[in-house]
Amino acid sequence: MADTPLNGLAARLVVNQLLDEGAVRSAQAKAEQSSKTLSQQLVEDKQLTYPQLALVTAEEFGIPVFDLTAFDPDNIPRDLINENLIRKHKVMPLIKRGTRLFVAVVNPADHQAIDEIRFNTGLAAEPVLVEENKIEAFIDRVIEGGDNSLNDFDDDEFENLDDLEVSAVEDAAEDYSGSAEDDAPVVKFVNKMLLSAIKGGASDLHFEPYEKSYRVRFRTDGVLHEVARPPATLSPRIASRLKIMSAMDISERRKPQDGRIKMKLSKSKAIDFRVNTLPTLWGEKIVLRILDPSSAKMGIDALGYEEEQKAMYLEALEQPQGMILVTGPTGSGKTVSLYTGLNILNTPERNISTSEDPVEINLEGINQVNVNPKQGMDFSQALRAFLRQDPDIIMVGEIRDLETANIAIKAAQTGHMVMSTLHTNSAPETLTRLQNMGVPSFNIATSVSLIIAQRLARRLCTNCKEEVDIPKETLLEEGFTEEQAKEAVIYGPKGCEQCSKGYKGRVGIYEVVKITPAMQQVIMAEGNSLEIADVARKEGFSNLRQSGLLKALQGVTSLEEVNRVTLD
């Protein structure tokens, strides 16, 4: 492979001396493994920016670069827009001049896209190059007929909710007798909130009534922020609308209820919301958790594991038996870590069963069970049933009691791979928690093979992050080594139009501990969490704090974020 000549954009990067051949080949290999384009990989690795790539790509293919930010979408020939074609190829018709149609593209080598546009329009399609990070937002803006940013919602605008443009939501119930004319603005407002939350990358939506006000907040990148303040008088109508969509009893306002909403974004993509109501002093507070199936299929490379941590996780998954425990507080990404492992194991040769409370994301090929303690189906009952179903891999949503722990450990000792979660702060504390539950130390030492403790930190925006000057003495106090503090370049948030206060997305910080023979001896000797942590350190395993500081050194997140998620 190394002897194969570079061609196309890869060769042009070397010719223009933007990168050396080794760097290009390395980026190509990483892009192929993670199913990314070479351009996306180079930007992710911070070797080039999107503007730089646009210029060199335009030179390679001999086409002009076009600035989408300076183009008025009202000039687009909308009668020539085919949404499926546009989204499939990331293209957009821009200007029609006679029989010529100028088309924005990010990949000039995609001749199929140009051919399909020529066929569908009967015009001579001429490509112009645009920056890859701008095309998707531009496509959304054009197709949805306006800017869907959260800034659309000002307090003064709620008197005219009819003006809101919304995506259709499929009702989960049809027995509501309210006036359709009166509720139309509320329906549109609620739909708009759901769509805005999805587009903004939120994980949760909070609809909160108070005595003289009402607010809507989104949790984005782990932090809540206010996005709207509709009139307080709309509180009961908003609650009723959400309960109708969730197939709840709208007449019951004194007890908490649970439900789900499915929102169809297109023929091929739908998002589920898990909904919970809570009676409060001034009405029902309703919280929606966004369950995006794509989050469970990101691939292990996207989660933020260091290479040696990823290798340990993959090695543990390859074992025919044993127990993998993922630990951390609520909202630390435990479910995504488990689902990622299950997706790696999910082959036709394996029988995989999961018990969850509740099932959040449907995984094709995996037998998922909702636990229901009221009906006698708790985690331990589900585990017993699984063991009579010829399982290879079992996932238990959470080990909450001694009975569940004992059954899970016995399964791990008898030829099954078991995966589960615990609510502890670190890997050593996970082992002592099992001991405190009453699980014999010998069983813990011989069944648990790997523990992953994790947190989620906000990722610095690659577009605007800036270097911050931190004295060496301060870095040493924070926990950096002498060598790290000497060479460290630490970045902090700035803020731009592409991010939220300098952050965009989240990255995992992990403590991955493999149970070694030395650690087994400490466990069987009833060692406490401090003794286990000391052995883990001597064995070379990084704790959460060390992993977080490494993320700061890599420029992935800020030191402030590391402190927020790793200092208890």
Side-chain angles (χ1 to χ4, degrees), residues 134-191:
K134 294 180 180 177
I135 186 72
E136 287 191 10
F138 187 79
I139 289 172
D140 288 340
R141 185 180 174 192
V142 170
I143 289 178
E144 288 158 20
D147 186 359
N148 285 298
S149 69
L150 303 181
N151 295 327
D152 288 345
F153 302 108
D154 297 326
D155 289 345
D156 297 335
E157 295 182 29
F158 285 103
E159 298 304 320
N160 190 11
L161 294 173
D162 283 321
D163 291 338
L164 292 174
E165 296 182 11
V166 298
S167 171
V169 176
E170 193 174 280
D171 283 355
E174 299 178 356
D175 57 355
Y176 181 53
S177 58
S179 166
E181 183 177 347
D182 290 343
D183 286 344
V186 172
V187 170
K188 289 184 178 182
F189 170 69
V190 169
N191 291 349

Short mmCIF file of all heavy atoms in Angstrom, two decimals, residues 134-191:
data_model
loop_
_atom_site.label_atom_id
_atom_site.label_comp_id
_atom_site.label_asym_id
_atom_site.label_seq_id
_atom_site.Cartn_x
_atom_site.Cartn_y
_atom_site.Cartn_z
N LYS A 134 -19.87 24.16 5.73
CA LYS A 134 -20.94 25.14 5.57
C LYS A 134 -22.13 24.61 4.78
O LYS A 134 -23.23 25.16 4.86
CB LYS A 134 -20.40 26.39 4.87
CG LYS A 134 -19.39 27.16 5.67
CD LYS A 134 -18.89 28.39 4.92
CE LYS A 134 -17.86 29.17 5.75
NZ LYS A 134 -17.31 30.33 5.01
N ILE A 135 -21.95 23.53 4.03
CA ILE A 135 -22.99 23.10 3.09
C ILE A 135 -24.22 22.54 3.80
O ILE A 135 -25.35 22.82 3.40
CB ILE A 135 -22.41 22.08 2.08
CG1 ILE A 135 -23.44 21.72 1.01
CG2 ILE A 135 -21.94 20.82 2.78
CD1 ILE A 135 -23.71 22.81 0.03
N GLU A 136 -24.04 21.73 4.88
CA GLU A 136 -25.19 21.09 5.51
C GLU A 136 -26.14 22.11 6.13
O GLU A 136 -27.36 22.02 5.97
CB GLU A 136 -24.73 20.08 6.56
CG GLU A 136 -24.13 18.82 5.95
CD GLU A 136 -23.92 17.73 6.99
OE1 GLU A 136 -24.41 17.90 8.12
OE2 GLU A 136 -23.26 16.73 6.67
N ALA A 137 -25.59 23.09 6.85
CA ALA A 137 -26.44 24.12 7.45
C ALA A 137 -27.14 24.93 6.36
O ALA A 137 -28.31 25.32 6.51
CB ALA A 137 -25.60 25.03 8.33
N PHE A 138 -26.45 25.17 5.26
CA PHE A 138 -27.04 25.93 4.16
C PHE A 138 -28.20 25.14 3.53
O PHE A 138 -29.26 25.69 3.23
CB PHE A 138 -25.97 26.22 3.10
CG PHE A 138 -26.44 27.14 2.00
CD1 PHE A 138 -26.50 28.51 2.20
CD2 PHE A 138 -26.82 26.63 0.77
CE1 PHE A 138 -26.93 29.36 1.19
CE2 PHE A 138 -27.26 27.46 -0.24
CZ PHE A 138 -27.31 28.83 -0.04
N ILE A 139 -28.00 23.82 3.35
CA ILE A 139 -29.06 22.97 2.79
C ILE A 139 -30.29 22.99 3.70
O ILE A 139 -31.43 23.15 3.24
CB ILE A 139 -28.55 21.53 2.60
CG1 ILE A 139 -27.54 21.47 1.43
CG2 ILE A 139 -29.70 20.57 2.34
CD1 ILE A 139 -26.85 20.13 1.29
N ASP A 140 -30.07 22.84 5.01
CA ASP A 140 -31.19 22.88 5.96
C ASP A 140 -31.93 24.21 5.87
O ASP A 140 -33.17 24.25 5.89
CB ASP A 140 -30.68 22.68 7.39
CG ASP A 140 -30.23 21.24 7.65
OD1 ASP A 140 -30.65 20.35 6.88
OD2 ASP A 140 -29.45 21.02 8.58
N ARG A 141 -31.18 25.28 5.77
CA ARG A 141 -31.79 26.61 5.73
C ARG A 141 -32.66 26.79 4.48
O ARG A 141 -33.76 27.32 4.55
CB ARG A 141 -30.68 27.66 5.77
CG ARG A 141 -31.18 29.10 5.85
CD ARG A 141 -30.01 30.05 5.88
NE ARG A 141 -30.44 31.42 5.82
CZ ARG A 141 -29.63 32.44 5.60
NH1 ARG A 141 -28.33 32.22 5.41
NH2 ARG A 141 -30.08 33.67 5.56
N VAL A 142 -32.16 26.30 3.36
CA VAL A 142 -32.90 26.45 2.11
C VAL A 142 -34.15 25.57 2.10
O VAL A 142 -35.26 26.02 1.79
CB VAL A 142 -32.00 26.10 0.90
CG1 VAL A 142 -32.82 26.01 -0.38
CG2 VAL A 142 -30.91 27.15 0.75
N ILE A 143 -33.99 24.29 2.46
CA ILE A 143 -35.10 23.34 2.35
C ILE A 143 -36.19 23.64 3.37
O ILE A 143 -37.38 23.51 3.07
CB ILE A 143 -34.58 21.90 2.52
CG1 ILE A 143 -33.77 21.52 1.27
CG2 ILE A 143 -35.72 20.91 2.74
CD1 ILE A 143 -33.16 20.15 1.32
N GLU A 144 -35.80 24.08 4.56
CA GLU A 144 -36.82 24.33 5.58
C GLU A 144 -37.35 25.75 5.53
O GLU A 144 -38.16 26.15 6.35
CB GLU A 144 -36.24 24.01 6.96
CG GLU A 144 -36.09 22.51 7.15
CD GLU A 144 -35.08 22.17 8.22
OE1 GLU A 144 -34.80 23.05 9.04
OE2 GLU A 144 -34.59 21.03 8.21
N GLY A 145 -36.88 26.53 4.57
CA GLY A 145 -37.50 27.82 4.31
C GLY A 145 -37.21 28.90 5.31
O GLY A 145 -37.95 29.85 5.45
N GLY A 146 -36.16 28.78 6.05
CA GLY A 146 -35.85 29.84 7.01
C GLY A 146 -34.81 29.40 8.00
O GLY A 146 -34.39 28.25 8.03
N ASP A 147 -34.38 30.32 8.83
CA ASP A 147 -33.37 30.05 9.82
C ASP A 147 -34.02 29.48 11.07
O ASP A 147 -34.90 30.09 11.65
CB ASP A 147 -32.64 31.36 10.16
CG ASP A 147 -31.47 31.12 11.10
OD1 ASP A 147 -31.25 29.95 11.48
OD2 ASP A 147 -30.81 32.09 11.43
N ASN A 148 -33.61 28.27 11.48
CA ASN A 148 -34.23 27.61 12.63
C ASN A 148 -33.41 27.79 13.89
O ASN A 148 -33.50 27.00 14.81
CB ASN A 148 -34.38 26.11 12.34
CG ASN A 148 -35.50 25.83 11.38
OD1 ASN A 148 -36.65 26.13 11.66
ND2 ASN A 148 -35.17 25.28 10.24
N SER A 149 -32.59 28.82 13.93
CA SER A 149 -31.77 29.01 15.12
C SER A 149 -32.65 29.36 16.31
O SER A 149 -33.76 29.86 16.18
CB SER A 149 -30.75 30.13 14.89
OG SER A 149 -31.41 31.37 14.80
N LEU A 150 -32.13 29.12 17.50
CA LEU A 150 -32.90 29.36 18.71
C LEU A 150 -33.14 30.84 18.94
O LEU A 150 -34.00 31.21 19.72
CB LEU A 150 -32.17 28.75 19.92
CG LEU A 150 -31.87 27.26 19.78
CD1 LEU A 150 -31.18 26.76 21.03
CD2 LEU A 150 -33.14 26.47 19.54
N ASN A 151 -32.41 31.69 18.25
CA ASN A 151 -32.61 33.12 18.43
C ASN A 151 -33.93 33.61 17.85
O ASN A 151 -34.29 34.76 18.02
CB ASN A 151 -31.44 33.89 17.77
CG ASN A 151 -30.13 33.61 18.47
OD1 ASN A 151 -30.10 33.39 19.67
ND2 ASN A 151 -29.03 33.59 17.71
N ASP A 152 -34.62 32.73 17.12
CA ASP A 152 -35.92 33.11 16.57
C ASP A 152 -36.93 33.41 17.68
O ASP A 152 -37.93 34.06 17.45
CB ASP A 152 -36.51 31.97 15.72
CG ASP A 152 -35.75 31.83 14.41
OD1 ASP A 152 -35.01 32.75 14.06
OD2 ASP A 152 -35.92 30.80 13.74
N PHE A 153 -36.70 32.89 18.89
CA PHE A 153 -37.72 32.95 19.92
C PHE A 153 -37.46 34.09 20.88
O PHE A 153 -36.70 33.98 21.82
CB PHE A 153 -37.78 31.62 20.69
CG PHE A 153 -38.07 30.47 19.77
CD1 PHE A 153 -37.08 29.54 19.46
CD2 PHE A 153 -39.30 30.31 19.19
CE1 PHE A 153 -37.34 28.49 18.62
CE2 PHE A 153 -39.57 29.26 18.34
CZ PHE A 153 -38.59 28.35 18.06
N ASP A 154 -38.11 35.23 20.63
CA ASP A 154 -38.06 36.36 21.54
C ASP A 154 -39.38 36.43 22.30
O ASP A 154 -40.43 36.01 21.80
CB ASP A 154 -37.84 37.67 20.76
CG ASP A 154 -36.49 37.66 20.05
OD1 ASP A 154 -35.54 37.08 20.60
OD2 ASP A 154 -36.40 38.21 18.94
N ASP A 155 -39.34 37.02 23.48
CA ASP A 155 -40.54 37.07 24.31
C ASP A 155 -41.71 37.72 23.59
O ASP A 155 -42.86 37.33 23.75
CB ASP A 155 -40.25 37.85 25.60
CG ASP A 155 -39.35 37.05 26.53
OD1 ASP A 155 -39.21 35.83 26.29
OD2 ASP A 155 -38.78 37.64 27.47
N ASP A 156 -41.43 38.75 22.78
CA ASP A 156 -42.51 39.50 22.15
C ASP A 156 -43.19 38.74 21.03
O ASP A 156 -44.26 39.13 20.56
CB ASP A 156 -41.98 40.83 21.60
CG ASP A 156 -41.45 41.72 22.73
OD1 ASP A 156 -41.91 41.53 23.87
OD2 ASP A 156 -40.61 42.58 22.44
N GLU A 157 -42.59 37.65 20.55
CA GLU A 157 -43.12 36.98 19.37
C GLU A 157 -44.15 35.92 19.70
O GLU A 157 -44.77 35.36 18.81
CB GLU A 157 -41.96 36.34 18.58
CG GLU A 157 -41.00 37.36 18.00
CD GLU A 157 -39.91 36.69 17.19
OE1 GLU A 157 -40.16 35.61 16.63
OE2 GLU A 157 -38.82 37.25 17.11
N PHE A 158 -44.36 35.61 20.97
CA PHE A 158 -45.23 34.49 21.30
C PHE A 158 -46.71 34.82 21.15
O PHE A 158 -47.55 33.96 21.29
CB PHE A 158 -44.93 34.00 22.72
CG PHE A 158 -43.67 33.21 22.77
CD1 PHE A 158 -42.51 33.77 23.26
CD2 PHE A 158 -43.63 31.93 22.26
CE1 PHE A 158 -41.34 33.05 23.27
CE2 PHE A 158 -42.45 31.19 22.28
CZ PHE A 158 -41.31 31.77 22.78
N GLU A 159 -47.03 36.08 20.89
CA GLU A 159 -48.42 36.42 20.63
C GLU A 159 -48.85 35.97 19.24
O GLU A 159 -50.03 35.91 18.93
CB GLU A 159 -48.63 37.93 20.79
CG GLU A 159 -48.33 38.44 22.19
CD GLU A 159 -49.15 37.72 23.26
OE1 GLU A 159 -50.33 37.44 23.03
OE2 GLU A 159 -48.58 37.44 24.33
N ASN A 160 -47.90 35.68 18.36
CA ASN A 160 -48.24 35.29 17.00
C ASN A 160 -47.55 33.98 16.64
O ASN A 160 -46.67 33.93 15.80
CB ASN A 160 -47.84 36.39 16.02
CG ASN A 160 -48.39 36.13 14.63
OD1 ASN A 160 -49.24 35.25 14.44
ND2 ASN A 160 -47.92 36.88 13.65
N LEU A 161 -47.94 32.90 17.32
CA LEU A 161 -47.29 31.61 17.13
C LEU A 161 -47.64 30.98 15.80
O LEU A 161 -47.01 30.01 15.39
CB LEU A 161 -47.69 30.66 18.26
CG LEU A 161 -47.18 31.06 19.65
CD1 LEU A 161 -47.77 30.16 20.71
CD2 LEU A 161 -45.67 31.01 19.70
N ASP A 162 -48.65 31.50 15.10
CA ASP A 162 -49.03 30.92 13.80
C ASP A 162 -47.91 31.05 12.79
O ASP A 162 -47.85 30.32 11.80
CB ASP A 162 -50.28 31.61 13.25
CG ASP A 162 -51.53 31.13 13.97
OD1 ASP A 162 -51.59 29.93 14.27
OD2 ASP A 162 -52.42 31.95 14.24
N ASP A 163 -46.99 32.00 13.00
CA ASP A 163 -45.93 32.24 12.02
C ASP A 163 -44.82 31.19 12.08
O ASP A 163 -43.97 31.14 11.21
CB ASP A 163 -45.31 33.62 12.25
CG ASP A 163 -46.30 34.72 11.90
OD1 ASP A 163 -47.23 34.46 11.13
OD2 ASP A 163 -46.12 35.84 12.42
N LEU A 164 -44.82 30.35 13.13
CA LEU A 164 -43.76 29.36 13.26
C LEU A 164 -43.88 28.28 12.20
O LEU A 164 -44.96 27.75 11.96
CB LEU A 164 -43.82 28.71 14.65
CG LEU A 164 -43.48 29.63 15.83
CD1 LEU A 164 -43.74 28.90 17.12
CD2 LEU A 164 -42.05 30.10 15.75
N GLU A 165 -42.76 27.92 11.59
CA GLU A 165 -42.73 26.83 10.62
C GLU A 165 -42.26 25.57 11.34
O GLU A 165 -41.28 25.61 12.08
CB GLU A 165 -41.79 27.16 9.47
CG GLU A 165 -42.25 28.36 8.67
CD GLU A 165 -41.32 28.66 7.51
OE1 GLU A 165 -40.46 27.80 7.23
OE2 GLU A 165 -41.46 29.73 6.92
N VAL A 166 -42.97 24.46 11.14
CA VAL A 166 -42.68 23.27 11.92
C VAL A 166 -42.60 22.05 11.02
O VAL A 166 -43.08 22.04 9.90
CB VAL A 166 -43.77 23.02 12.98
CG1 VAL A 166 -43.83 24.15 13.97
CG2 VAL A 166 -45.13 22.83 12.32
N SER A 167 -41.97 21.01 11.59
CA SER A 167 -41.97 19.70 10.94
C SER A 167 -43.12 18.90 11.52
O SER A 167 -43.43 18.99 12.71
CB SER A 167 -40.64 19.00 11.21
OG SER A 167 -40.68 17.67 10.78
N ALA A 168 -43.76 18.10 10.70
CA ALA A 168 -44.91 17.32 11.16
C ALA A 168 -44.49 16.29 12.18
O ALA A 168 -43.47 15.62 12.03
CB ALA A 168 -45.59 16.65 9.97
N VAL A 169 -45.28 16.14 13.22
CA VAL A 169 -45.07 15.12 14.23
C VAL A 169 -46.27 14.20 14.23
O VAL A 169 -47.41 14.65 14.23
CB VAL A 169 -44.91 15.75 15.63
CG1 VAL A 169 -44.78 14.68 16.69
CG2 VAL A 169 -43.69 16.66 15.65
N GLU A 170 -46.00 12.91 14.24
CA GLU A 170 -47.07 11.92 14.22
C GLU A 170 -47.69 11.80 15.61
O GLU A 170 -47.01 11.49 16.58
CB GLU A 170 -46.48 10.56 13.80
CG GLU A 170 -47.51 9.53 13.43
CD GLU A 170 -46.80 8.29 12.90
OE1 GLU A 170 -46.41 8.29 11.73
OE2 GLU A 170 -46.64 7.34 13.67
N ASP A 171 -48.98 12.06 15.74
CA ASP A 171 -49.64 12.00 17.04
C ASP A 171 -49.66 10.58 17.56
O ASP A 171 -49.90 9.63 16.83
CB ASP A 171 -51.08 12.52 16.94
CG ASP A 171 -51.12 14.03 16.86
OD1 ASP A 171 -50.05 14.67 16.98
OD2 ASP A 171 -52.19 14.56 16.66
N ALA A 172 -49.47 10.44 18.86
CA ALA A 172 -49.53 9.12 19.49
C ALA A 172 -50.93 8.82 20.01
O ALA A 172 -51.22 7.72 20.42
CB ALA A 172 -48.53 9.03 20.63
N ALA A 173 -51.81 9.82 20.03
CA ALA A 173 -53.18 9.59 20.48
C ALA A 173 -54.11 10.55 19.76
O ALA A 173 -53.69 11.60 19.29
CB ALA A 173 -53.28 9.81 21.99
N GLU A 174 -55.39 10.19 19.65
CA GLU A 174 -56.32 11.00 18.90
C GLU A 174 -57.61 11.28 19.67
O GLU A 174 -58.63 11.61 19.09
CB GLU A 174 -56.67 10.29 17.58
CG GLU A 174 -55.45 10.07 16.68
CD GLU A 174 -55.82 9.32 15.41
OE1 GLU A 174 -56.99 8.92 15.28
OE2 GLU A 174 -54.94 9.17 14.56
N ASP A 175 -57.55 11.16 21.00
CA ASP A 175 -58.77 11.29 21.78
C ASP A 175 -58.86 12.64 22.50
O ASP A 175 -59.55 12.77 23.48
CB ASP A 175 -58.88 10.16 22.80
CG ASP A 175 -57.67 10.12 23.72
OD1 ASP A 175 -56.73 10.91 23.49
OD2 ASP A 175 -57.68 9.29 24.67
N TYR A 176 -58.17 13.65 21.98
CA TYR A 176 -58.21 14.96 22.62
C TYR A 176 -59.33 15.77 22.00
O TYR A 176 -59.48 15.85 20.79
CB TYR A 176 -56.87 15.66 22.42
CG TYR A 176 -56.79 17.01 23.07
CD1 TYR A 176 -57.10 17.16 24.42
CD2 TYR A 176 -56.40 18.12 22.34
CE1 TYR A 176 -57.00 18.40 25.02
CE2 TYR A 176 -56.29 19.36 22.95
CZ TYR A 176 -56.60 19.49 24.28
OH TYR A 176 -56.50 20.71 24.87
N SER A 177 -60.13 16.41 22.85
CA SER A 177 -61.32 17.10 22.36
C SER A 177 -61.15 18.62 22.34
O SER A 177 -62.11 19.35 22.18
CB SER A 177 -62.52 16.75 23.26
OG SER A 177 -62.25 17.10 24.60
N GLY A 178 -59.92 19.11 22.50
CA GLY A 178 -59.71 20.54 22.51
C GLY A 178 -59.94 21.15 21.15
O GLY A 178 -60.00 20.48 20.12
N SER A 179 -60.05 22.47 21.10
CA SER A 179 -60.31 23.19 19.86
C SER A 179 -59.06 23.22 19.00
O SER A 179 -58.02 23.70 19.42
CB SER A 179 -60.75 24.62 20.18
OG SER A 179 -60.69 25.42 19.02
N ALA A 180 -59.17 22.70 17.79
CA ALA A 180 -58.01 22.67 16.89
C ALA A 180 -57.57 24.07 16.53
O ALA A 180 -56.37 24.36 16.43
CB ALA A 180 -58.37 21.89 15.61
N GLU A 181 -58.54 24.99 16.38
CA GLU A 181 -58.20 26.36 16.02
C GLU A 181 -57.44 27.05 17.13
O GLU A 181 -56.44 27.74 16.90
CB GLU A 181 -59.49 27.13 15.70
CG GLU A 181 -59.23 28.56 15.25
CD GLU A 181 -60.53 29.28 14.88
OE1 GLU A 181 -61.55 28.60 14.75
OE2 GLU A 181 -60.48 30.51 14.75
N ASP A 182 -57.90 26.83 18.40
CA ASP A 182 -57.23 27.45 19.54
C ASP A 182 -55.85 26.88 19.78
O ASP A 182 -54.93 27.58 20.21
CB ASP A 182 -58.07 27.26 20.81
CG ASP A 182 -59.35 28.09 20.77
OD1 ASP A 182 -59.41 29.01 19.94
OD2 ASP A 182 -60.27 27.79 21.55
N ASP A 183 -55.67 25.58 19.52
CA ASP A 183 -54.42 24.90 19.86
C ASP A 183 -53.39 24.90 18.74
O ASP A 183 -52.26 24.46 18.96
CB ASP A 183 -54.70 23.46 20.28
CG ASP A 183 -55.31 23.40 21.69
OD1 ASP A 183 -55.23 24.42 22.40
OD2 ASP A 183 -55.87 22.36 22.05
N ALA A 184 -53.75 25.37 17.57
CA ALA A 184 -52.81 25.34 16.44
C ALA A 184 -51.50 26.05 16.77
O ALA A 184 -50.42 25.53 16.49
CB ALA A 184 -53.45 25.95 15.20
N PRO A 185 -51.52 27.26 17.39
CA PRO A 185 -50.24 27.91 17.72
C PRO A 185 -49.41 27.10 18.71
O PRO A 185 -48.19 27.05 18.60
CB PRO A 185 -50.69 29.25 18.35
CG PRO A 185 -52.05 29.49 17.82
CD PRO A 185 -52.67 28.13 17.70
N VAL A 186 -50.07 26.46 19.68
CA VAL A 186 -49.34 25.66 20.67
C VAL A 186 -48.72 24.44 20.00
O VAL A 186 -47.58 24.07 20.28
CB VAL A 186 -50.27 25.24 21.82
CG1 VAL A 186 -49.57 24.26 22.75
CG2 VAL A 186 -50.74 26.46 22.60
N VAL A 187 -49.48 23.80 19.10
CA VAL A 187 -48.97 22.64 18.36
C VAL A 187 -47.71 23.03 17.59
O VAL A 187 -46.68 22.34 17.63
CB VAL A 187 -50.04 22.08 17.41
CG1 VAL A 187 -49.43 21.05 16.47
CG2 VAL A 187 -51.19 21.47 18.20
N LYS A 188 -47.78 24.16 16.92
CA LYS A 188 -46.63 24.62 16.13
C LYS A 188 -45.45 24.97 17.03
O LYS A 188 -44.30 24.67 16.71
CB LYS A 188 -47.03 25.82 15.28
CG LYS A 188 -47.97 25.48 14.13
CD LYS A 188 -48.24 26.70 13.27
CE LYS A 188 -49.14 26.34 12.09
NZ LYS A 188 -49.37 27.49 11.20
N PHE A 189 -45.74 25.61 18.16
CA PHE A 189 -44.66 25.98 19.08
C PHE A 189 -43.95 24.74 19.62
O PHE A 189 -42.73 24.67 19.65
CB PHE A 189 -45.22 26.82 20.22
CG PHE A 189 -44.24 27.04 21.33
CD1 PHE A 189 -43.13 27.85 21.15
CD2 PHE A 189 -44.40 26.41 22.55
CE1 PHE A 189 -42.22 28.05 22.17
CE2 PHE A 189 -43.48 26.59 23.59
CZ PHE A 189 -42.39 27.42 23.39
N VAL A 190 -44.73 23.75 20.07
CA VAL A 190 -44.13 22.53 20.62
C VAL A 190 -43.31 21.81 19.56
O VAL A 190 -42.17 21.39 19.81
CB VAL A 190 -45.22 21.59 21.18
CG1 VAL A 190 -44.63 20.22 21.51
CG2 VAL A 190 -45.86 22.20 22.42
N ASN A 191 -43.85 21.69 18.36
CA ASN A 191 -43.11 21.04 17.28
C ASN A 191 -41.82 21.78 16.97
O ASN A 191 -40.77 21.18 16.72
CB ASN A 191 -43.97 20.94 16.03
CG ASN A 191 -45.12 19.98 16.19
OD1 ASN A 191 -45.18 19.23 17.16
ND2 ASN A 191 -46.04 19.98 15.24
#
